[in-house]
Amino acid sequence: MSPHFPPASTPSADIRGLSLRYPQGPAVLEGLDWQLLPGQVVGLLGRNGAGKTTLLEALLGLREPSSGEVQLFGQPAQVLDDATRARIGYVPQHSDLFESFSAAQLLAYFRSFYPRWNEAKVEGLMSRWDIDRDKPIRKLSGGQKQRLSIIRALAHEPDLLVLDEPVASLDPAGRRDFLRELVGEVLDRGATVVFSTHILSDLERVAFNIAFLSQGRIALQAPLDELLEQVRAFTGSVTEVAALMARLGAQPLKRIPLEAGRERVLARLPAHAELPAGVAADRLNLDDLFTELT
Ligand code: ADP
């Protein structure tokens, strides 16, 4: 079996019961479970401070969990062998390293570490994204630095690509181009791509999977089109809503108490569920889902 194409049943990343607390701080992640499969593009959504960076760093084995397990391609994330490490690409949120290198020097340096390196892709993106090869990196704009960091992470054709707020300093045209590149990664090679963002419109451009991080856990993950179709808001008395949930086989995702013994409940309908006549089940757009679930 080629090491680069694990069977579809082997997750690229498999997180079980992950808890993480910073010294003297509150718990950021609490018993979090998350699986990322080959061929998935996952947008990780959460409010500021929800723990997205912490989660991505723990996923990469860069932070030690208080408890729980993280496996990448079947190996513990903190003790990967070199071949497995070479299958991972990471674009951190900020990186001030290598500021005195030029882009050309930076890429040559990284190329020396990887058995696989797609020079044609690197050259194509460097030209298309208009990055000066010879200036010191500290003289590039924020957007150019970010693009360079993305090129560096795509160059060795990783099977798992992790990006922390990668589009934050790109302009809208840069974001579109970048998203096309990401999707190309997945379609061409069955890679897994996960990135955190708070720019909801980016997620709506492509049929991404969306994972909501809230209260230390992945509250929900599903393809965006399924979420928009299946997550509904029901309003009624507590007993009416409970009976409806039981009848539909739906699990409440969030319950919001209203006055006079009524409540508003967000729940995901099972696929092909038939709503009884006369039941109001409001659809939510992505903005509303973000507000309600994070
Ligand atoms: P997000 O990426 O979703 O904005 P972070 O993972 O950066 O969230 O932060 C989650 C929480 O952990 C925040 O409350 C933040 O203040 C805290 N935090 C992050 N990094 C550290 C650190 N190195 N030491 C202590 N607390 C931290």
Side-chain angles (χ1 to χ4, degrees):
M1 185 179 66
S2 158
H4 300 307
F5 291 97
S9 56
T10 305
S12 309
D14 192 355
I15 300 183
R16 309 264 171 187
L18 174 66
S19 296
L20 200 150
R21 159 190 302 278
Y22 290 102
Q24 275 96 47
V28 179
L29 308 175
E30 285 190 278
L32 180 145
D33 295 315
W34 203 22
Q35 282 78 44
L36 301 172
L37 301 175
Q40 278 185 333
V41 181
V42 182
L44 176 64
L45 278 179
R47 299 194 175 214
N48 284 334
K52 299 182 294 298
T53 298
T54 304
L55 172 57
L56 295 180
E57 289 176 351
L59 182 149
L60 291 160
L62 302 173
R63 287 212 178 268
E64 190 173 354
S66 314
S67 59
E69 268 186 62
V70 181
Q71 295 217 329
L72 300 178
F73 303 107
Q75 292 184 3
Q78 291 188 285
V79 288
L80 297 180
D81 61 31
D82 289 349
T84 304
R85 200 177 294 284
R87 297 175 64 186
I88 296 162
Y90 174 40
V91 179
Q93 198 167 7
H94 304 288
S95 166
D96 296 330
L97 294 175
F98 307 105
E99 293 272 289
S100 61
F101 279 40
S102 66
Q105 286 170 326
L106 175 93
L107 292 168
Y109 176 73
F110 277 91
R111 186 167 51 224
S112 67
F113 289 107
Y114 291 102
R116 213 157 34 139
W117 187 268
N118 188 334
E119 192 62 31
K121 179 188 289 245
V122 168
E123 283 306 309
L125 289 174
M126 288 292 286
S127 303
R128 192 137 54 86
W129 287 354
D130 201 17
I131 299 169
D132 190 315
R133 288 168 171 72
D134 302 314
K135 258 194 203 169
I137 290 171
R138 69 170 177 279
K139 293 197 177 163
L140 300 180
S141 72
Q144 285 170 328
K145 281 186 200 177
Q146 208 165 21
R147 289 168 199 233
L148 176 61
S149 183
I150 291 164
I151 293 171
R152 179 193 54 68
L154 288 174
H156 63 283
E157 305 197 312
D159 296 316
L160 171 62
L161 180 60
V162 178
L163 309 108
D164 194 356
E165 293 275 356
V167 290
S169 52
L170 298 185
D171 56 33
R175 294 214 297 268
R176 254 195 319 277
D177 200 11
F178 161 69
L179 287 169
R180 265 202 297 272
E181 234 22 81
L182 278 187
V183 172
E185 281 295 298
V186 169
L187 296 182
D188 293 352
R189 299 188 295 104
T192 303
V193 180
V194 56
F195 67 97
S196 58
T197 187
H198 60 274
I199 302 174
L200 299 178
S201 61
D202 287 337
L203 298 168
E204 285 168 321
R205 290 184 215 278
V206 192
F208 288 115
N209 281 273
I210 300 196
F212 293 93
L213 176 63
S214 172
Q215 297 180 333
R217 292 170 180 245
I218 298 296
L220 181 64
Q221 177 174 326
L224 176 58
D225 52 353
E226 273 179 33
L227 285 176
L228 296 178
E229 175 59 31
Q230 295 172 359
V231 177
R232 305 290 186 95
F234 303 88
T235 306
S237 74
V238 171
T239 42
E240 277 166 2
V241 175
L244 183 62
M245 292 296 106
R247 177 165 173 189
L248 292 170
Q251 288 295 327
L253 295 164
K254 184 170 178 184
R255 309 174 65 150
I256 304 141
L258 306 172
E259 70 286 355
R262 290 162 61 78
E263 64 176 354
R264 177 175 152 88
V265 170
L266 252 61
R268 184 170 172 193
L269 296 173
H272 316 299
E274 299 263 340
L275 281 172
V279 168
D282 302 332
R283 288 172 194 272
L284 293 97
N285 62 30
L286 187 55
D287 274 331
D288 297 336
L289 281 174
F290 180 78
T291 309
E292 301 266 20
L293 293 178
T294 64

